[in-house]
Amino acid sequence: MMERKMPLRMDAPAHRDVEGKNGVQSLEIGMTILRAISSGHRAMMLKDIAAAADMPASKVHRYIVSLVRSGLVEQDPMSSRYNLGPFALNLGLIAVDRLDRVKLGLAAIDQLRDEINQTSALAVWSEHGPVIIRSVRPYRPITVNVVTGTALNLLTSASGRVFAAWLPSATTQSLISRELLDPALPEVLQTASGLAEMLTRVRRDGVSIVSDYHLVPGVAAAAAPVFNFKNEITLSLLAIGVKGMIDLSLDGPVVLSLKQSARELSQRLGHSLVPVDSN
């Protein structure tokens, strides 16, 4: 789509910042300075910003004055170093928050399936517990078919344990209390110490592995948590296969690929955003 250029009056000189229909040069220079600051991984002196932006320090200073006024940059009065300002940080968080987590999750399980050649699935949290919202089948004759919309138990499914491990206890307590009444619940989970030990292990390993899920015998599954920029669990990725035909050892290729996929998706959702060190 072509952008229409506004005509200039013949008696008014063109502003030096106008670069025709391609944009405004001063804005692009400001963005270059912002990129230099953000790539420094910490607050920077003016001379270091100028070097990173490949501009004279005097020119950079003129732009930084405006960037500070806009809130995109701030200066530490003690060290005189510059860092990203509150408006820049807010823009980043808003952009992350508007990402379509499910759309990104669907792409992630497609890629995971291609890597491990096992059934891969995506689960979200609902008021009734974890729910499978999509699964993809592998390229093998014997597979596990997961039905979309399947609700998972919190204490005995791989994805359920992941949500139980990272969600606030106030969110999960009522469901856990209900499942503790199930006579088919494994004996090791019927005590407070056994339950706590299981959740601690999941957090330590960064993944939950379940074999012979008591509602579906013969199936083995692993689940890994996906976090958002608020450090909250928002999704769960699963690798599912037939017991004896899928290697779910912690150091095996399936679990390692699963955890890597979850980490990468978490980063896409902003989990890797941390405050920049200003010291």
Side-chain angles (χ1 to χ4, degrees), residues 66-89:
S66 294
L67 293 172
V68 169
R69 288 174 181 168
S70 69
L72 288 168
V73 173
E74 63 182 2
Q75 185 182 30
D76 185 336
M78 299 296 295
S79 67
S80 296
R81 293 175 180 268
Y82 294 95
N83 207 341
L84 294 177
F87 184 47
L89 297 176

mmCIF file of all heavy atoms in Angstrom, residues 66-89:
data_model
loop_
_atom_site.group_PDB
_atom_site.id
_atom_site.type_symbol
_atom_site.label_atom_id
_atom_site.label_comp_id
_atom_site.label_asym_id
_atom_site.label_seq_id
_atom_site.Cartn_x
_atom_site.Cartn_y
_atom_site.Cartn_z
ATOM 1 N N SER A 66 15.260 14.750 24.784
ATOM 2 C CA SER A 66 13.860 14.533 24.413
ATOM 3 C C SER A 66 13.373 13.164 24.860
ATOM 4 O O SER A 66 12.221 13.002 25.284
ATOM 5 C CB SER A 66 13.692 14.674 22.896
ATOM 6 O OG SER A 66 13.937 16.002 22.487
ATOM 7 N N LEU A 67 14.228 12.152 24.786
ATOM 8 C CA LEU A 67 13.836 10.810 25.203
ATOM 9 C C LEU A 67 13.558 10.763 26.701
ATOM 10 O O LEU A 67 12.654 10.049 27.154
ATOM 11 C CB LEU A 67 14.927 9.801 24.821
ATOM 12 C CG LEU A 67 15.115 9.578 23.316
ATOM 13 C CD1 LEU A 67 16.353 8.718 23.051
ATOM 14 C CD2 LEU A 67 13.878 8.908 22.714
ATOM 15 N N VAL A 68 14.327 11.520 27.482
ATOM 16 C CA VAL A 68 14.093 11.594 28.922
ATOM 17 C C VAL A 68 12.754 12.278 29.191
ATOM 18 O O VAL A 68 11.966 11.822 30.035
ATOM 19 C CB VAL A 68 15.243 12.329 29.624
ATOM 20 C CG1 VAL A 68 14.864 12.649 31.075
ATOM 21 C CG2 VAL A 68 16.512 11.493 29.587
ATOM 22 N N ARG A 69 12.484 13.364 28.473
ATOM 23 C CA ARG A 69 11.220 14.073 28.670
ATOM 24 C C ARG A 69 10.020 13.190 28.357
ATOM 25 O O ARG A 69 8.968 13.307 28.995
ATOM 26 C CB ARG A 69 11.182 15.315 27.775
ATOM 27 C CG ARG A 69 12.110 16.431 28.220
ATOM 28 C CD ARG A 69 12.118 17.547 27.187
ATOM 29 N NE ARG A 69 13.025 18.626 27.576
ATOM 30 C CZ ARG A 69 13.400 19.601 26.756
ATOM 31 N NH1 ARG A 69 12.950 19.630 25.505
ATOM 32 N NH2 ARG A 69 14.217 20.544 27.183
ATOM 33 N N SER A 70 10.178 12.291 27.396
ATOM 34 C CA SER A 70 9.064 11.423 26.997
ATOM 35 C C SER A 70 8.895 10.214 27.913
ATOM 36 O O SER A 70 7.889 9.508 27.840
ATOM 37 C CB SER A 70 9.274 10.929 25.564
ATOM 38 O OG SER A 70 10.366 10.017 25.503
ATOM 39 N N GLY A 71 9.880 9.959 28.763
ATOM 40 C CA GLY A 71 9.817 8.796 29.641
ATOM 41 C C GLY A 71 10.401 7.543 29.034
ATOM 42 O O GLY A 71 10.406 6.488 29.664
ATOM 43 N N LEU A 72 10.931 7.642 27.819
ATOM 44 C CA LEU A 72 11.545 6.479 27.184
ATOM 45 C C LEU A 72 12.928 6.188 27.761
ATOM 46 O O LEU A 72 13.411 5.056 27.702
ATOM 47 C CB LEU A 72 11.644 6.682 25.676
ATOM 48 C CG LEU A 72 10.319 6.617 24.915
ATOM 49 C CD1 LEU A 72 10.498 7.119 23.486
ATOM 50 C CD2 LEU A 72 9.772 5.193 24.908
ATOM 51 N N VAL A 73 13.569 7.216 28.300
ATOM 52 C CA VAL A 73 14.894 7.079 28.905
ATOM 53 C C VAL A 73 14.872 7.813 30.234
ATOM 54 O O VAL A 73 14.141 8.799 30.402
ATOM 55 C CB VAL A 73 15.993 7.667 27.978
ATOM 56 C CG1 VAL A 73 17.349 7.692 28.678
ATOM 57 C CG2 VAL A 73 16.089 6.854 26.689
ATOM 58 N N GLU A 74 15.651 7.328 31.193
ATOM 59 C CA GLU A 74 15.795 8.030 32.459
ATOM 60 C C GLU A 74 17.270 8.059 32.839
ATOM 61 O O GLU A 74 18.051 7.198 32.427
ATOM 62 C CB GLU A 74 14.964 7.379 33.563
ATOM 63 C CG GLU A 74 15.371 5.963 33.907
ATOM 64 C CD GLU A 74 14.474 5.360 34.983
ATOM 65 O OE1 GLU A 74 13.518 6.050 35.408
ATOM 66 O OE2 GLU A 74 14.728 4.208 35.389
ATOM 67 N N GLN A 75 17.645 9.061 33.616
ATOM 68 C CA GLN A 75 19.033 9.215 34.056
ATOM 69 C C GLN A 75 19.125 9.079 35.563
ATOM 70 O O GLN A 75 18.331 9.662 36.309
ATOM 71 C CB GLN A 75 19.599 10.568 33.626
ATOM 72 C CG GLN A 75 21.083 10.738 33.962
ATOM 73 C CD GLN A 75 21.628 12.105 33.564
ATOM 74 O OE1 GLN A 75 20.889 13.087 33.553
ATOM 75 N NE2 GLN A 75 22.911 12.157 33.226
ATOM 76 N N ASP A 76 20.087 8.294 36.001
ATOM 77 C CA ASP A 76 20.349 8.156 37.429
ATOM 78 C C ASP A 76 21.114 9.405 37.887
ATOM 79 O O ASP A 76 22.243 9.635 37.434
ATOM 80 C CB ASP A 76 21.186 6.904 37.683
ATOM 81 C CG ASP A 76 21.400 6.629 39.167
ATOM 82 O OD1 ASP A 76 21.312 7.582 39.964
ATOM 83 O OD2 ASP A 76 21.661 5.468 39.513
ATOM 84 N N PRO A 77 20.549 10.214 38.780
ATOM 85 C CA PRO A 77 21.222 11.448 39.192
ATOM 86 C C PRO A 77 22.523 11.200 39.938
ATOM 87 O O PRO A 77 23.394 12.084 39.983
ATOM 88 C CB PRO A 77 20.186 12.130 40.102
ATOM 89 C CG PRO A 77 19.295 11.024 40.568
ATOM 90 C CD PRO A 77 19.246 10.044 39.436
ATOM 91 N N MET A 78 22.710 10.024 40.515
ATOM 92 C CA MET A 78 23.922 9.729 41.270
ATOM 93 C C MET A 78 25.075 9.331 40.345
ATOM 94 O O MET A 78 26.194 9.817 40.495
ATOM 95 C CB MET A 78 23.653 8.602 42.278
ATOM 96 C CG MET A 78 22.590 8.949 43.305
ATOM 97 S SD MET A 78 23.087 10.333 44.367
ATOM 98 C CE MET A 78 24.480 9.590 45.225
ATOM 99 N N SER A 79 24.780 8.459 39.375
ATOM 100 C CA SER A 79 25.837 7.947 38.500
ATOM 101 C C SER A 79 25.897 8.641 37.142
ATOM 102 O O SER A 79 26.861 8.475 36.403
ATOM 103 C CB SER A 79 25.641 6.444 38.273
ATOM 104 O OG SER A 79 24.457 6.207 37.527
ATOM 105 N N SER A 80 24.844 9.405 36.813
ATOM 106 C CA SER A 80 24.715 10.078 35.501
ATOM 107 C C SER A 80 24.553 9.083 34.352
ATOM 108 O O SER A 80 24.639 9.453 33.186
ATOM 109 C CB SER A 80 25.919 10.993 35.223
ATOM 110 O OG SER A 80 25.969 12.046 36.164
ATOM 111 N N ARG A 81 24.310 7.831 34.686
ATOM 112 C CA ARG A 81 24.096 6.832 33.650
ATOM 113 C C ARG A 81 22.653 6.876 33.164
ATOM 114 O O ARG A 81 21.746 7.257 33.900
ATOM 115 C CB ARG A 81 24.407 5.427 34.173
ATOM 116 C CG ARG A 81 25.880 5.201 34.497
ATOM 117 C CD ARG A 81 26.102 3.833 35.120
ATOM 118 N NE ARG A 81 27.489 3.589 35.428
ATOM 119 C CZ ARG A 81 28.359 2.998 34.608
ATOM 120 N NH1 ARG A 81 27.935 2.576 33.417
ATOM 121 N NH2 ARG A 81 29.613 2.815 34.958
ATOM 122 N N TYR A 82 22.465 6.426 31.927
ATOM 123 C CA TYR A 82 21.140 6.412 31.308
ATOM 124 C C TYR A 82 20.637 4.976 31.180
ATOM 125 O O TYR A 82 21.416 4.047 30.931
ATOM 126 C CB TYR A 82 21.182 7.065 29.931
ATOM 127 C CG TYR A 82 21.493 8.546 29.966
ATOM 128 C CD1 TYR A 82 22.790 9.005 29.811
ATOM 129 C CD2 TYR A 82 20.476 9.480 30.164
ATOM 130 C CE1 TYR A 82 23.088 10.360 29.848
ATOM 131 C CE2 TYR A 82 20.757 10.849 30.201
ATOM 132 C CZ TYR A 82 22.066 11.278 30.044
ATOM 133 O OH TYR A 82 22.349 12.622 30.081
ATOM 134 N N ASN A 83 19.330 4.841 31.322
ATOM 135 C CA ASN A 83 18.704 3.537 31.213
ATOM 136 C C ASN A 83 17.339 3.715 30.564
ATOM 137 O O ASN A 83 16.863 4.847 30.389
ATOM 138 C CB ASN A 83 18.533 2.900 32.594
ATOM 139 C CG ASN A 83 18.521 1.389 32.542
ATOM 140 O OD1 ASN A 83 18.289 0.800 31.486
ATOM 141 N ND2 ASN A 83 18.763 0.754 33.670
ATOM 142 N N LEU A 84 16.713 2.611 30.191
ATOM 143 C CA LEU A 84 15.357 2.689 29.666
ATOM 144 C C LEU A 84 14.425 3.233 30.734
ATOM 145 O O LEU A 84 14.516 2.856 31.902
ATOM 146 C CB LEU A 84 14.867 1.312 29.204
ATOM 147 C CG LEU A 84 15.600 0.696 28.012
ATOM 148 C CD1 LEU A 84 15.041 -0.685 27.723
ATOM 149 C CD2 LEU A 84 15.475 1.582 26.784
ATOM 150 N N GLY A 85 13.524 4.110 30.334
ATOM 151 C CA GLY A 85 12.621 4.746 31.272
ATOM 152 C C GLY A 85 11.328 3.982 31.485
ATOM 153 O O GLY A 85 11.087 2.954 30.848
ATOM 154 N N PRO A 86 10.472 4.477 32.353
ATOM 155 C CA PRO A 86 9.233 3.762 32.691
ATOM 156 C C PRO A 86 8.296 3.593 31.501
ATOM 157 O O PRO A 86 7.615 2.571 31.404
ATOM 158 C CB PRO A 86 8.603 4.642 33.775
ATOM 159 C CG PRO A 86 9.239 5.990 33.617
ATOM 160 C CD PRO A 86 10.627 5.720 33.137
ATOM 161 N N PHE A 87 8.260 4.562 30.603
ATOM 162 C CA PHE A 87 7.371 4.434 29.450
ATOM 163 C C PHE A 87 7.860 3.338 28.508
ATOM 164 O O PHE A 87 7.066 2.567 27.970
ATOM 165 C CB PHE A 87 7.263 5.763 28.708
ATOM 166 C CG PHE A 87 6.292 5.745 27.549
ATOM 167 C CD1 PHE A 87 5.024 5.197 27.693
ATOM 168 C CD2 PHE A 87 6.645 6.269 26.315
ATOM 169 C CE1 PHE A 87 4.127 5.174 26.630
ATOM 170 C CE2 PHE A 87 5.756 6.256 25.252
ATOM 171 C CZ PHE A 87 4.494 5.703 25.414
ATOM 172 N N ALA A 88 9.177 3.233 28.334
ATOM 173 C CA ALA A 88 9.731 2.175 27.483
ATOM 174 C C ALA A 88 9.427 0.800 28.065
ATOM 175 O O ALA A 88 9.038 -0.133 27.347
ATOM 176 C CB ALA A 88 11.237 2.362 27.319
ATOM 177 N N LEU A 89 9.605 0.665 29.378
ATOM 178 C CA LEU A 89 9.317 -0.618 30.022
ATOM 179 C C LEU A 89 7.835 -0.955 29.920
ATOM 180 O O LEU A 89 7.461 -2.111 29.695
ATOM 181 C CB LEU A 89 9.757 -0.572 31.484
ATOM 182 C CG LEU A 89 11.261 -0.372 31.724
ATOM 183 C CD1 LEU A 89 11.546 -0.257 33.207
ATOM 184 C CD2 LEU A 89 12.047 -1.510 31.107
#
